[in-house]
Amino acid sequence: MEHYLGEKLKSLRESRNWTQADLAKRLNKAVSTISGYESDAHAIPLDVLASISLLFGISTDELLDLETSESLSLSGLAPAQQAILEDLRREFLAPSQRGKDFSPQQMKILHDIIKAFS
């Protein structure tokens, strides 16, 4: 199945419960530009790809689906533990513009970690 960059961007944005306006503000772009990126109507410039990568805490290889191996082996972990670690990585590696407060999603992840690994 072919994977388009616009779909990936939309998925990343929705994983944070951000609107297109939220993402546009973070990237200093117009909402219509974000919409164009997500629908693959507009190519995403390299500088914007780099900003998206930093914003979501993922490598450009991962953003472009070029990464084939994980840097941390999850083998031997239960599927629930693997999912929790993926959530952690996604949620906590990205630079936060929310200040010091944890989001409800971050609190849920922390709760799940304590429960699953204790």
Side-chain angles (χ1 to χ4, degrees):
M1 180 174 129
E2 195 167 337
H3 187 78
Y4 294 100
L5 185 54
E7 292 172 9
K8 177 85 170 203
L9 179 59
K10 182 178 180 180
S11 174
L12 287 167
R13 175 181 61 77
E14 289 176 343
S15 76
R16 297 288 175 90
N17 295 317
W18 291 346
T19 64
Q20 286 184 340
D22 294 331
L23 181 58
K25 183 176 180 180
R26 286 173 170 86
L27 293 175
N28 197 27
K29 299 290 177 193
V31 174
S32 60
T33 301
I34 300 302
S35 176
Y37 293 161
E38 289 186 359
S39 66
D40 291 309
H42 304 294
I44 303 176
L46 291 177
D47 64 321
V48 177
L49 281 174
S51 295
I52 291 168
S53 173
L54 288 171
L55 181 63
F56 290 101
I58 62 174
S59 70
T60 51
D61 282 357
E62 186 176 355
L63 182 62
L64 298 171
D65 284 334
L66 299 175
E67 204 166 84
T68 56
S69 65
E70 299 180 34
S71 57
L72 174 64
S73 174
L74 301 179
S75 63
L77 295 178
Q81 291 172 324
Q82 291 177 10
I84 290 168
L85 290 175
E86 287 297 325
D87 286 346
L88 259 177
R89 183 173 159 273
R90 216 178 8 262
E91 193 70 22
F92 289 101
L93 287 182
S96 175
Q97 296 184 3
R98 291 184 280 238
K100 294 186 280 186
D101 297 331
F102 287 120
S103 70
Q105 178 64 19
Q106 289 171 326
M107 289 303 294
K108 179 191 176 303
I109 292 168
L110 288 173
H111 176 267
D112 290 346
I113 290 168
I114 294 166
K115 189 174 176 183
F117 291 95
S118 47

